[in-house]
């Protein structure tokens, strides 16, 4: 299994996603501040993976505190949570994981010994890790049957093992379809500017022997018109209450193209990505990242000095473009407001 992130007695170990596929390096974060840096710099990325990373960051902070009781640790705990919550704004899994740790912490009495706090916070981070893999497997089983028996499936960004604790959401659906005997050929959008598709999706699918072709982001329409794409499956960073969802910049373009060509467009995400408190996609905060991701590649400048740059990391795809949302609870169809509300209690 791809070791996206692993808890060790020394800290949290991450495969360095900024270096893949050319180098397989690992980064050991030994403090919660280092976990926060690893999220900001995208050594680890992908909505479910950053949620669980933050949970481990909090567990790490508890291991290192000098406080002797939950009460003494309280202010420091809040500071740790705030630092991790300030890393990236769009993926709701981050806030979901931090809130879950906060709820657990609130249940401790003032005099609860820190050894118990440490044990319980780490146990819950481990539980989130295992639940995430189980959710990916369940999504795979539900979503795999939606894909065609053979043909091209387009994906955007990396919603794979590297974006989760293992198996992946969109790529989990593809993996499961392949395990079901379907002859799928994956087309991976390169996903400018960070190249998650060209670097990460291609790397992990090739490791599994799944036929994969990388295309530039501007090639999808042409392939669709030529009949080479039979379905699209992507992940999500946040799904609003009406089914609008944020995902990597460029997802919206693909959704429009799929609709125009009559191609089913699926979004696969665990329940931790669903945010019923956000009514529509318009209310999802979109992260703006550094201009250097656009102006430079591999340390080399690509654009004229001083040119204006815009670098939103995500866009919002309106629910009307989504054929189905695949979750670990099952496959949801429009109208999504109702479908999400109905399935919410089951997820608790
Ligand atoms: O900026 P990133 O690489 O963290 O963006 C990741 C994505 O947009 C993924 O598609 C999304 O998090 C789903 S991952 C299962």
């Amino acid at each position: 299994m791809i070791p996206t992130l692993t808890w060790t007695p020394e800290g949290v170990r991450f495969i360095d996603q900024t270096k893949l596929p050319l180098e397989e390096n690992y980064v050991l974060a030994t403090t919660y501040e280092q976990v926060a840096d690893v999220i900001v710099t995208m050594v680890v990325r992908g909505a479910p993976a950053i949620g669980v990373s933050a949970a481990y960051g909090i567990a790490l902070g508890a291991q290192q505190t000098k406080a002797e009781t939950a009460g003494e640790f309280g202010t420091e705990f809040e500071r740790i949570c705030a630092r991790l919550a300030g890393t990236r704004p769009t993926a709701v899994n981050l806030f979901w994981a931090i809130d879950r740790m906060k709820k657990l912490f609130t249940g401790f009495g003032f005099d609860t010994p820190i050894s118990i706090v440490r044990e319980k916070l780490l146990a819950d981070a481990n539980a989130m890790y295992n639940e995430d893999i189980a959710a990916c497997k369940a999504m795979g089983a539900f979503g795999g049957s939606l894909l065609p028996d053979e043909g091209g499936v387009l994906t955007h960004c990396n919603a794979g093992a590297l974006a989760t604790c293992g198996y992946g959401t969109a790529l989990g659906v593809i993996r499961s379809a392949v395990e079901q005997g379907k002859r799928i050929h994956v087309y991976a959008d390169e996903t400018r500017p960070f190249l998650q598709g060209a670097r990460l999706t291609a790397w992990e699918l090739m490791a599994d022997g799944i036929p994969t072709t990388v295309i530039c982001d501007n090639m999808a329409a042409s392939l669709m018109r030529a009949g080479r794409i039979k379905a699209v499956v992507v992940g999500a960073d946040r799904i609003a209450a009406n089914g609008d969802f944020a995902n990597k910049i460029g997802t919206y373009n693909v959704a429009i193209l799929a609709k125009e060509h009559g191609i089913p467009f699926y979004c696969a995400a665990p329940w931790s990505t669903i945010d019923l408190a956000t009514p529509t996609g318009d209310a999802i905060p979109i992260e703006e990242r550094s201009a250097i991701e656009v102006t430079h590649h591999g340390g080399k400048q690509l654009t004229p000095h001083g040119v204006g740059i815009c670098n939103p990391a995500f866009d919002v795809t309106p629910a009307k473009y989504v054929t189905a949302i695949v979750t670990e609870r099952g496959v949801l169809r429009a109208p999504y407001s109702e479908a999400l509300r109905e399935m919410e209690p089951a997820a608790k």
Side-chain angles (χ1 to χ4, degrees):
M1 202 169 91
I2 291 169
T4 307
L5 63 140
T6 318
W7 175 266
T8 77
E10 292 78 38
V12 195
R13 187 172 179 263
F14 297 92
I15 193 165
D16 186 346
Q17 300 195 34
T18 66
K19 298 285 193 304
L20 287 172
L22 300 182
E23 291 171 38
E24 197 173 321
N25 286 348
Y26 291 83
V27 171
L28 182 68
T30 58
T31 63
Y32 79 86
E33 288 100 333
Q34 286 177 5
V35 173
D37 289 344
V38 152
I39 296 172
V40 169
T41 56
M42 290 175 59
V43 165
V44 68
R45 31 68 49 201
I50 65 176
V52 176
S53 299
Y56 277 129
I58 294 169
L60 196 53
Q63 303 291 322
Q64 294 172 339
T65 183
K66 295 205 165 52
E68 290 183 358
T69 63
E72 280 178 28
F73 183 45
T75 310
E76 196 182 342
F77 175 82
E78 285 303 327
R79 197 170 56 238
I80 293 168
C81 291
R83 172 71 186 102
L84 288 158
T87 51
R88 298 193 71 190
T90 304
V92 77
N93 312 60
L94 179 74
F95 309 101
W96 168 87
I98 294 169
D99 283 352
R100 181 162 152 173
M101 296 297 256
K102 280 186 177 175
K103 275 194 195 107
L104 179 62
F105 189 75
T106 310
F108 298 131
F110 192 91
D111 293 327
T112 304
I114 200 71
S115 57
I116 304 286
V117 174
R118 286 179 178 139
E119 184 192 315
K120 300 268 190 229
L121 289 176
L122 180 56
D124 206 38
N126 283 331
M128 285 185 220
Y129 181 96
N130 292 322
E131 286 165 23
D132 185 56
I133 298 173
C136 288
K137 291 274 168 79
M139 268 179 270
F142 284 120
S145 51
L146 299 173
L147 295 189
D149 288 341
E150 59 183 321
V153 173
L154 178 71
T155 190
H156 190 76
C157 193
N158 172 268
L162 287 166
T164 60
C165 298
Y167 203 68
T169 58
L171 296 194
V173 167
I174 289 170
R175 284 194 165 97
S176 167
V178 170
E179 285 160 17
Q180 289 169 25
K182 297 187 173 186
R183 292 193 303 280
I184 304 288
H185 187 109
V186 179
Y187 288 92
D189 272 346
E190 65 175 351
T191 319
R192 276 279 289 158
F194 211 72
L195 301 177
Q196 289 94 332
R199 298 187 302 106
L200 308 176
T201 296
W203 181 77
E204 67 166 90
L205 290 180
M206 285 183 78
D208 275 8
I210 298 176
T212 304
T213 298
V214 171
I215 61 170
C216 299
D217 295 334
N218 49 7
M219 296 174 183
S222 170
L223 265 69
M224 287 181 181
R225 190 168 147 85
R228 291 170 67 182
I229 310 282
K230 303 285 182 234
V232 177
V233 56
V234 297
D237 288 84
R238 190 185 297 230
I239 300 176
N242 71 342
D244 295 351
F245 74 99
N247 191 50
K248 179 54 53 195
I249 189 78
T251 303
Y252 179 30
N253 309 32
V254 176
I256 295 170
L257 294 176
K259 182 134 188 152
E260 175 65 23
H261 292 87
I263 295 167
F265 178 93
Y266 302 111
C267 170
W271 211 264
S272 53
T273 305
I274 289 162
D275 180 13
L276 297 184
T278 294
T280 71
D282 292 344
I284 299 177
I286 300 294
E287 176 182 12
E288 181 78 26
R289 290 190 64 85
S290 162
I292 203 165
E293 291 179 356
V294 177
T295 57
H296 287 65
H297 184 67
K300 264 189 124 174
Q301 190 165 332
L302 305 171
T303 54
H305 209 68
V307 72
I309 296 294
C310 165
N311 187 18
F314 302 95
D315 60 23
V316 171
T317 298
K320 68 176 181 182
Y321 293 106
V322 182
T323 310
I325 298 175
V326 181
T327 75
E328 70 274 37
R329 288 274 154 184
V331 176
L332 284 72
R333 304 268 179 182
Y336 293 111
S337 310
E338 283 166 35
L340 287 166
R341 245 195 343 262
E342 275 164 21
M343 218 173 258
E344 164 73 350
K348 290 219 163 120

